[in-house]
Amino acid sequence: MSKTKKHILQFDQEYDFELIGICSHHNDYRLAWGMNELLGIGLTKTDEEHNVINKKGEIQSQHSKYVFKDKENLITYYLVKNKGQGKYLIPEKPTIDYFLFLYDNHIWEIMELNNQLKEIPSILGSYVFEPMELQSTEHIVFE
């Protein structure tokens, strides 16, 4: 009998967003307002919360979400609260209050944007994260 060969397909996950974690004691609407003022964008709260779905397809938690689609520069901003219903969007970073996702970013140098965010009075600190380093980011999907 001949042995059968097993081939294992492995691939590296690629992300089409950049990620900044934000620490703030203010409400999401006040944070969004400060970001809109400083960056000249228009984050608005969505009617639907951002849902975290478990492996069974059930909603595990819901998180407040703001979005701005810049049609001129073809970039989309999402501001999502990390803690919702006692659970975290990204459990590896429980000290982060909000996450700013930048999809298809080609206009901002991420470290420069991070430094600008620190100028907003309602932001205590902001940190750039590499999505590949956080295991739970592979489950984050925006429509």
Side-chain angles (χ1 to χ4, degrees):
M1 280 193 144
S2 66
K3 289 186 176 183
T4 58
K5 287 186 179 182
K6 264 189 185 176
H7 296 280
I8 298 173
L9 177 62
Q10 293 181 334
F11 65 95
D12 292 328
Q13 180 73 30
E14 290 187 28
Y15 297 97
D16 57 350
F17 62 84
E18 292 181 274
L19 182 62
I20 297 176
I22 298 171
C23 295
S24 175
H25 293 302
H26 289 104
N27 292 329
D28 50 6
Y29 61 86
R30 186 166 177 184
L31 177 61
W33 179 82
M35 292 173 71
N36 287 343
E37 289 291 310
L38 180 74
L39 304 176
I41 60 176
L43 287 167
T44 56
K45 188 167 183 161
T46 61
D47 294 333
E48 296 178 5
E49 303 283 314
H50 179 75
N51 296 324
V52 175
I53 310 294
N54 64 16
K55 292 178 182 178
K56 296 178 183 177
E58 301 165 339
I59 295 175
Q60 184 176 343
S61 62
Q62 295 182 316
H63 304 265
S64 172
K65 178 174 70 173
Y66 287 72
V67 66
F68 174 64
K69 295 183 180 189
D70 185 345
K71 295 179 182 184
E72 183 179 324
N73 295 307
L74 304 173
I75 182 173
T76 305
Y77 303 80
Y78 291 97
L79 178 65
V80 183
K81 193 169 186 176
N82 191 26
K83 190 172 184 180
Q85 299 174 320
K87 297 183 180 175
Y88 293 100
L89 176 70
I90 300 179
E92 299 95 317
K93 300 294 179 188
T95 58
I96 300 297
D97 299 308
Y98 300 91
F99 285 100
L100 178 65
F101 296 85
L102 292 102
Y103 273 81
D104 301 323
N105 178 26
H106 58 275
I107 61 168
W108 292 105
E109 197 283 307
I110 197 71
M111 294 307 287
E112 181 182 317
L113 174 61
N114 187 49
N115 289 334
Q116 284 187 14
L117 289 174
K118 291 177 182 179
E119 296 174 15
I120 298 172
S122 60
I123 292 180
L124 301 173
S126 63
Y127 312 92
V128 174
F129 294 110
E130 185 61 43
M132 293 179 67
E133 295 175 3
L134 304 172
Q135 184 179 6
S136 58
T137 55
E138 68 185 37
H139 303 293
I140 296 175
V141 177
F142 292 101
E143 300 164 322

